[in-house]
Amino acid sequence: MSVVLSWICSNYIEIAASLLGIIGVWLTTRQLIWCWPVGLLNVILSLYVFFASRLYADVILQVFYFVMTLYGWYNWRYGGKGKSVLQVSRITPQLLLVLIIISFFATALTGFLFSKYTDAALPYWDAGVAVWGVLCTWLQARKILENWLIWIITDLVCTGIYFYKELYAFTGLYFFFAVLAAYGFYAWRKDLIKLSAT
C-alpha cells in the first residue's frame, strides 16, 4: 500500500493529466463544448510530464494541442453554416490521401531530426505519434468522423511507448483513450446517420 501511495505522490501531475484527459475525451465523444476547456488543462499538465520524460516530439505536440484546442473550441461553436454549431461530416478520399502522404514525410523528417539533434528516447515512434496526433486533432476540431479511427491506432501506439517509458498512468490512459475513440466513432457515426436522414 505504501508503494502505491508513494507512486501516487511522486506522479500526481501525470495522474491529474490522465484524469482530465479521460474527462475531455468523454466530453468530446458526446460532442459537448466543455471538452475544449478541460482539454486545455490536460495539455498544460501533459506538456510538463513529457518534457520531464524527454519525449520532445510530444512536448511540441502539446504546444500544438494548446493552439488547436482554442481553434476547436471556437470552430465547434461557430464553424457551421452561418456561424452556427458545427455538425459531424466525413473526410473526402482525396484529402485523406494527401494527409497520409504529408504525415509519412513529416514523421520521417521529424524522427530524423530528433534522432540526430536531441537525446529523444524513441525518436521515430515519438515523431509518428506527434504527427498523427496533429492530424487527428485537426480532424476532430473540424468534426470529421474519421478522426476517431486514426485516434484508435495512435492511442494504441502511445500505450506501448508509455509502457516502455514506465509512464504507467499514461499507459492506462491511452489504452482507455483507444476504447473511448471506438465509442466516439460509434456515437458520431450514429449522429451523422441521423443528420443524413433529415
Side-chain angles (χ1 to χ4, degrees), residues 7-17 45:
W7 180 82
I8 290 171
C9 289
S10 61
N11 295 283
Y12 64 93
I13 295 175
E14 181 187 347
I15 294 166
L45 295 181

Side-chain angles (χ1 to χ4, degrees), residues 31-102:
Q31 296 184 56
L32 297 172
I33 199 85
W34 282 99
C35 67
W36 299 108
V38 170
L40 280 176
L41 293 174
N42 169 262
V43 164
I44 292 165
L45 295 181
S46 297
L47 191 150
Y48 173 83
V49 171
F50 291 134
F51 184 79
S53 300
R54 295 184 295 117
L55 292 170
Y56 302 125
D58 278 327
V59 170
I60 293 168
L61 184 59
Q62 297 308 308
V63 174
F64 171 80
Y65 283 164
F66 187 87
V67 174
M68 284 304 296
T69 299
L70 295 175
Y71 167 72
W73 194 348
Y74 176 85
N75 200 49
W76 274 31
R77 180 66 187 90
Y78 301 108
K81 291 179 183 176
K83 296 216 175 227
S84 64
V85 173
L86 188 65
Q87 301 298 323
V88 177
S89 63
R90 305 275 326 236
I91 195 169
T92 64
Q94 296 87 348
L95 178 58
L96 180 61
L97 180 60
V98 168
L99 292 175
I100 288 171
I101 292 168
I102 290 171

Side-chain angles (χ1 to χ4, degrees), residues 36 68 71-73 75-76 86 136-144 147 188:
W36 299 108
M68 284 304 296
Y71 167 72
W73 194 348
N75 200 49
W76 274 31
L86 188 65
C136 291
T137 305
W138 181 77
L139 291 172
Q140 197 167 72
R142 300 294 309 153
K143 268 199 187 177
I144 295 175
N147 86 86
W188 282 29

